Amino acid sequence: MVTIAQQSKIEQLDTFVIESIRDVCATMLNWAPETGPRTPDATPHPFELKEVNGCIGFGGSMTGSIFFSCSEKLTMDMAHAILGHEYPPGARELSDVVGELTNMLAGGCKSRLCDHDCPVVMSIPNVIRGKLIKAASKDVKFMLQHEFLLPIVGESFKVITLGKFE
């Protein structure tokens, strides 16, 4: 059961995710994402990932994970925005781009959590590639899912955050 204090922390974390995405997209891509629908997921459940996914774990006052999930096409668009169009990026560069964007997203959330008396540490990013990926997590109390729209490239990506607070 989620307490009122925990609900407030979840709402704060939700705001931190949105702020961090905006910061990362503006800094790294010079893109302005539109916040699409948030899936109100009071109870964590299995979820689908897109083709290219970054994942980082958190430990401390909050334990959980954050996923940055996008299509192969968006990964290519992001790589071109960051690396330029001179050379076509290979699989390694595409994974590096997703890993770094995930790291910056999680780092923004970590910094904001720590600034609000919720000290956490984070893992290094992992990149998961595939099709029709379904994921689930045990021992989590909340799940937040956001769709972010990128009109500049006609694509969207998802950010899924799951975890529990002490």
Side-chain angles (χ1 to χ4, degrees):
M1 172 185 282
V2 175
T3 67
I4 292 173
Q6 288 174 332
Q7 185 62 36
S8 173
K9 288 180 181 181
I10 294 167
E11 290 169 6
Q12 245 182 348
L13 177 62
D14 191 44
T15 300
F16 298 161
V17 168
I18 293 168
E19 290 171 352
S20 295
I21 280 294
R22 288 183 179 146
D23 290 348
V24 170
C25 286
T27 301
M28 295 300 293
L29 304 166
N30 199 27
W31 295 349
E34 295 177 5
T35 306
R38 174 182 165 219
T39 307
D41 298 316
T43 306
H45 55 81
F47 53 96
E48 291 184 19
L49 294 170
K50 295 187 178 198
E51 297 158 330
V52 185
N53 308 279
C55 177
I56 288 186
F58 287 99
S61 293
M62 185 199 96
T63 304
S65 300
I66 190 163
F67 291 85
F68 176 84
S69 182
C70 59
S71 69
E72 189 77 39
K73 180 193 177 305
L74 181 56
T75 304
M76 186 68 74
D77 291 340
M78 292 183 304
H80 284 301
I82 293 170
L83 304 172
H85 290 276
E86 293 77 37
Y87 303 101
R92 176 174 285 149
E93 289 83 11
L94 295 174
S95 291
D96 286 347
V97 165
V98 170
E100 185 55 30
L101 292 172
T102 306
N103 194 45
M104 292 178 72
L105 163 62
C109 292
K110 174 191 181 289
S111 177
R112 287 169 171 88
L113 284 165
C114 290
D115 288 347
H116 287 83
D117 298 320
C118 185
V120 293
V121 295
M122 56 188 229
S123 70
I124 61 171
N126 291 297
V127 176
I128 306 160
R129 299 174 70 103
K131 293 186 185 214
L132 303 172
I133 301 170
K134 287 197 177 204
S137 186
K138 290 184 174 186
D139 301 324
V140 295
K141 304 291 183 203
F142 68 86
M143 178 177 183
L144 303 168
Q145 282 194 79
H146 277 281
E147 189 86 16
F148 292 91
L149 312 169
L150 294 165
I152 194 166
V153 292
E155 287 281 320
S156 67
F157 61 90
K158 295 194 302 188
V159 175
I160 301 115
T161 311
L162 9 102
K164 63 183 177 182
F165 288 97
E166 287 183 342

